[in-house]
C-alpha cells in the first residue's frame, strides 16, 4: 500500500542511485562539467514531472482533471526539499574549522560563539588558523572517500551531427557507489500541500526515475517515500536559519534585498513570516551570506527559466525575537521555506538554537566552545562491534535472515545471543549487540550487513599470501 503523509504533512524521501548522477553545474571554459554532491529539490521536482508527462501527456493536451493534478503537484504549494547523501551535509558559512583538518576535526559555529571569535585551532599542535565554511556539501567520516567519476566523450557538431576532430567533452558525475560497494542513498523531504487525492496517491508511489544530465547512460535512481514524523525543534529568543537551497529574497518593489541593510532584511522577513511565527523578528543580528545567479531549463516548454540573484545554500541568518516562537511555528517554517519560487525547490531552510554539528557527530556538546568530532555512522558502528568479536562471518550469516524478517514486519528478537558460541562474549559487546537487535531500523540492519561483509572481505585478503 502506498505511503500517505503523516499528520505533520511531510513525506520522508529516499532516493537510491543505480547509475552515476551528473547533477548540473554549468561548465566553465574547457574544464570538466562539474556536478553537485547532492540532489537539489528542483532536480527531484523535474524528474517527477518528467515521469508524470510520460505517463499522462503534456499538461496542455490532457483532460482538465489531469491538468489540475499536474498544476497541484508541480505549480502549487508542494515543497520539494533537497536530498543529501548519507553522511553528508552543507557546511554553513558561519562555521570555522582547522585549516589543516587536524585529527580532532573540530568545528566552531560563530553564529553561537560568545565573546571574541577564535582565530586559531586550540586542539592542533601547529595552532593552525581557522577557515570559514564555504556553503558546500561535504561527506564526513567513512563517506569521505572518492565521490566522483569522469566520463570523456567526443564533441558532436550541431550541424553535421558527427564527431569534431580533436574535440573532447568531459563530464564529472557523482558516483552511485559507496566506498564499500553499496548503492549510495539520498534522503530529504517533500511537503505535499493542497493535493487532490489522486495526485497525493500518485506522488507517494515508488518508482524509477532519471535525474541530471547524460540520462541515456546515467542518472537512474529508485524513488520511495514514507510518512514523516519529525520531532519538534527547540526554540529560544535567538534562532538561526540555515539555507539548504538558494533563496530568492526581495524587497517590496521586487528587487533583490540589500543584505547590507539588516533592517530591510528584518522587515522583509517579518512581512513574509510574522503571521506564521506568531511573534515578530526584532533584529537580524548577524548574517553570513553569499549570492549566486540561479536559472535552469523548463523541459516541458523547452524554454529557459528566469534567472534569480539568490542567497546561496549555506548562508546563515541569526534572528532575534522578544518572545521565543513556538516549536510548532518553527516546524511550520521549515515546511514552508522562505522567499520566492519555493514550489521549485528554492528557499529550503533548517532552524537551530545551538551550534552546527557535522552529520554523525556524537553528543550534544557545544560547537561554539570546541566543536565535534566526526564519527562513523550507526550502521558502521554496529558492523565494527560485530566484527571485533571474532565472529564476523558467523554474524553475517545470522544477520541476513534477521534483517529480512524485520523488513517483512517481524518483531525484534535477541534469540541469537543465546547461542552457545557466544557464551564468552564480553558484556559490553553483548549489550551493544542487544541494543542493535532491538533498536536498529531494518534499513540500518541491512546496511550493517553490507559493511560487515566488506570487513570480512578485508580479513580474507589479509590472510592471502
Amino acid at each position: 500500500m502506498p505511503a500517505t503523509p503523516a499528520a505533520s504533512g511531510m513525506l520522508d524521501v529516499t532516493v537510491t542511485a543505480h547509475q552515476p548522477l551528473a547533477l548540473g553545474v554549468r561548465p566553465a571554459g574547457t574544464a570538466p562539467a562539474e556536478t553537485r554532491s547532492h540532489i537539489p529539490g528542483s532536480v527531484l521536482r523535474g524528474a517527477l514531472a518528467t515521469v508524470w508527462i510520460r505517463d499522462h501527456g503534456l499538461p496542455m493536451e490532457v483532460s482538465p482533471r489531469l491538468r489540475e493534478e499536474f498544476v497541484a503537484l508541480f505549480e502549487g504549494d508542494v515543497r520539494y526539499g533537497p536530498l543529501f547523501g548519507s553522511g553528508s551535509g552543507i557546511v554553513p558559512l558561519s562555521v570555522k574549522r582547522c585549516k589543516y583538518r587536524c585529527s580532532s576535526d573540530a568545528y566552531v559555529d560563530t553564529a553561537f560563539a560568545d565573546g571574541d571569535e577564535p582565530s586559531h585551532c586550540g586542539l592542533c599542535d601547529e595552532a593552525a588558523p581557522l577557515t570559514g565554511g564555504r556553503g558546500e556539501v561535504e561527506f564526513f567520516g567513512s563517506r569521505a572517500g572518492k565521490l566522483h567519476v569522469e566520463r570523456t566523450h567526443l564533441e558532436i557538431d550541431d550541424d553535421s551531427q558527427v564527431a569534431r576532430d580533436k574535440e573532447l567533452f568531459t563530464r564529472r558525475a557523482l558516483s552511485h557507489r559507496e566506498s564499500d560497494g553499496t548503492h549510495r542513498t539520498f534522503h530529504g523531504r517533500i511537503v505535499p500541500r493542497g493535493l487532490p487525492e489522486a495526485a497525493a496517491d500518485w506522488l507517494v508511489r515508488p518508482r524509477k526515475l532519471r535525474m541530471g544530465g547524460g540520462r541515456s547512460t546515467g542518472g537512474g535512481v529508485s524513488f520511495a517515500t514514507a510518512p514523516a514524523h519529525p520531532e519538534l525543534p527547540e526554540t529560544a529568543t535567538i534562532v538561526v536559519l540555515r539555507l539548504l537551497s538558494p533563496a530568492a529574497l526581495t524587497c517590496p518593489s521586487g528587487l533583490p534585498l540589500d543584505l547590507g541593510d539588516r533592517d530591510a532584511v528584518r522587515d522583509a522577513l517579518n512581512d513574509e513570516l510574522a503571521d506564521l511565527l506568531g511573534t515578530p523578528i526584532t533584529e537580524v543580528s548577524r548574517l553570513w551570506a553569499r549570492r549566486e545567479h540561479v536559472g535552469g531549463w523548463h523541459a516541458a516548454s523547452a524554454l529557459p527559466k528566469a534567472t534569480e540573484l539568490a542567497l546561496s545554500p549555506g548562508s546563515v541568518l541569526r534572528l532575534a525575537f522578544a518572545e521565543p516562537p513556538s516549536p510548532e511555528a518553527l516546524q511550520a517554517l521549515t515546511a514552508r521555506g522562505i522567499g520566492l519560487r519555493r514550489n521549485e525547490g528554492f528557499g529550503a531552510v533548517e532552524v537551530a538554537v545551538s551550534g552546527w554539528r557535522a552529520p554523525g557527530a556524537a553528543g550534544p556538546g557545544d560547537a561554539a566552545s570546541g566543536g565535534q568530532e566526526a564519527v562513523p555512522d550507526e550502521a558502521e558502528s554496529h558492523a565494527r562491534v560485530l566484527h571485533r568479536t571474532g565472529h564476523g562471518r558467523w554474524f553475517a550469516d545470522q544477520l541476513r535472515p534477521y534483517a529480512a524478517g524485520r523488513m517483512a514486519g517481524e518483531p525484534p528478537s535477541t534469540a541469537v545471543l543465546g547461542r552457545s558460541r557466544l557464551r564468552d562474549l564480553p558484556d559490553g559487546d553483548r549489550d551493544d549487540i542487544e541494543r542493535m537487535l532491538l533498536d536498529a531500523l531494518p534499513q540500518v540492519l541491512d546496511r550493517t550487513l553490507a559493511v560487515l561483509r566488506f570487513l570480512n572481505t578485508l580479513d580474507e585478503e589479509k590472510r592471502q599470501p
Side-chain angles (χ1 to χ4, degrees):
M1 179 180 294
T4 55
S8 66
M10 300 183 187
L11 289 170
D12 280 331
V13 177
T14 300
V15 165
T16 303
H18 302 291
Q19 294 175 315
L21 302 173
L23 297 168
V25 176
R26 190 180 300 277
T30 58
E34 292 288 350
T35 180
R36 292 180 175 88
S37 296
H38 73 296
I39 300 174
S42 57
V43 172
L44 173 62
R45 172 178 176 264
L48 288 168
T50 298
V51 171
W52 193 97
I53 291 172
R54 182 197 66 194
D55 293 345
H56 301 98
L58 292 173
M60 65 286 295
E61 298 175 356
V62 298
S63 67
R65 182 188 66 80
L66 286 176
R67 166 71 176 171
E68 178 185 352
E69 178 180 309
F70 180 88
V71 170
L73 281 166
F74 304 112
E75 304 293 345
D77 292 330
V78 180
R79 306 287 179 254
Y80 296 90
L83 309 177
F84 297 96
S86 299
S88 74
I90 294 177
V91 182
L93 297 178
S94 63
V95 167
K96 292 186 176 182
R97 54 185 166 177
C98 178
K99 179 178 180 179
Y100 301 118
R101 310 288 174 87
C102 62
S103 58
S104 64
D105 204 15
Y107 299 88
V108 178
D109 191 345
T110 57
F112 294 95
D114 295 325
D116 295 335
E117 296 177 6
S119 59
H120 288 78
C121 177
L123 303 174
C124 178
D125 292 339
E126 303 297 329
L130 298 179
T131 59
R134 296 185 294 179
E136 296 178 348
V137 175
E138 296 187 19
F139 286 74
F140 299 88
S142 61
R143 313 283 184 155
K146 183 178 180 181
L147 299 176
H148 301 110
V149 295
E150 289 188 358
R151 293 179 176 177
T152 300
H153 310 270
L154 294 170
E155 186 87 16
I156 303 299
D157 186 274
D158 291 336
D159 296 327
S160 65
Q161 291 299 301
V162 299
R164 293 177 177 173
D165 290 340
K166 301 179 182 180
E167 294 287 344
L168 299 176
F169 176 79
T170 299
R171 184 189 299 276
R172 187 166 290 158
L174 183 62
S175 172
H176 62 298
R177 295 283 189 182
E178 300 277 10
S179 58
D180 61 5
T182 58
H183 289 278
R184 194 179 301 278
T185 57
F186 299 82
H187 307 276
R189 285 201 173 130
I190 293 176
V191 184
R193 291 176 170 171
L195 287 180
E197 183 177 355
D201 290 342
W202 183 90
L203 181 61
V204 300
R205 293 175 195 162
R207 53 174 51 88
K208 302 293 185 183
L209 300 176
R210 292 212 169 259
M211 293 182 168
R215 290 189 295 270
S216 60
T217 57
V221 304
S222 298
F223 166 87
T225 64
H229 301 280
E231 296 182 1
L232 288 174
E234 297 180 9
T235 188
T237 55
I238 298 296
V239 176
V240 161
L241 299 187
R242 302 184 184 123
L243 292 186
L244 303 179
S245 65
L249 301 180
T250 61
C251 66
S253 61
L255 297 174
L257 274 176
D258 177 5
L259 300 181
D261 185 348
R262 294 185 189 172
D263 289 342
V265 177
R266 178 202 61 199
D267 294 342
L269 291 176
N270 272 327
D271 289 344
E272 184 177 351
L273 303 175
D275 290 342
L276 177 70
L277 295 176
T279 181
I281 301 166
T282 59
E283 182 185 13
V284 178
S285 55
R286 293 199 64 182
L287 193 153
W288 298 258
R290 289 179 179 171
R291 281 182 156 166
E292 61 183 63
H293 285 92
V294 182
W297 185 260
H298 192 267
S301 63
L303 293 171
K305 294 182 180 179
T307 299
E308 301 281 358
L309 181 60
L311 271 68
S312 300
S315 296
V316 177
L317 296 87
R318 176 175 161 142
L319 311 180
F321 296 85
E323 298 290 337
S326 70
E328 291 80 8
L330 292 180
Q331 186 178 82
L333 172 58
T334 61
R336 177 190 184 277
I338 62 174
L340 306 178
R341 298 173 64 176
R342 298 187 307 279
N343 64 325
E344 298 179 37
F346 282 61
V349 298
E350 64 178 4
V351 299
V353 296
S354 59
W356 180 84
R357 293 186 294 126
D366 181 4
S369 61
Q372 305 294 330
E373 292 187 19
V375 300
D377 66 14
E378 181 183 358
E380 183 175 345
S381 297
H382 293 326
R384 292 193 180 279
V385 170
L386 299 175
H387 180 258
R388 75 176 179 228
T389 65
H391 304 293
R393 183 162 294 282
W394 182 82
F395 268 119
D397 292 337
Q398 306 304 311
L399 191 59
R400 188 181 301 108
Y402 179 73
R406 291 289 308 280
M407 286 283 190
E410 295 180 5
S413 169
T414 60
V416 67
L417 292 175
R419 302 289 287 273
S420 60
R421 73 159 55 217
L422 300 180
R423 60 177 175 269
D424 297 326
L425 195 65
D427 290 342
D429 288 347
R430 185 180 296 274
D431 291 343
D432 289 341
I433 296 170
E434 181 177 0
R435 283 194 294 270
M436 177 198 74
L437 294 171
L438 293 176
D439 299 338
L441 297 173
Q443 55 266 37
V444 173
L445 292 173
D446 189 56
R447 176 157 175 77
T448 298
L449 179 59
V451 177
L452 184 58
R453 287 172 179 159
F454 177 68
L455 295 174
N456 292 336
T457 300
L458 289 180
D459 285 344
E460 291 179 357
E461 292 177 350
K462 291 177 182 178
R463 288 195 293 266
Q464 292 177 356

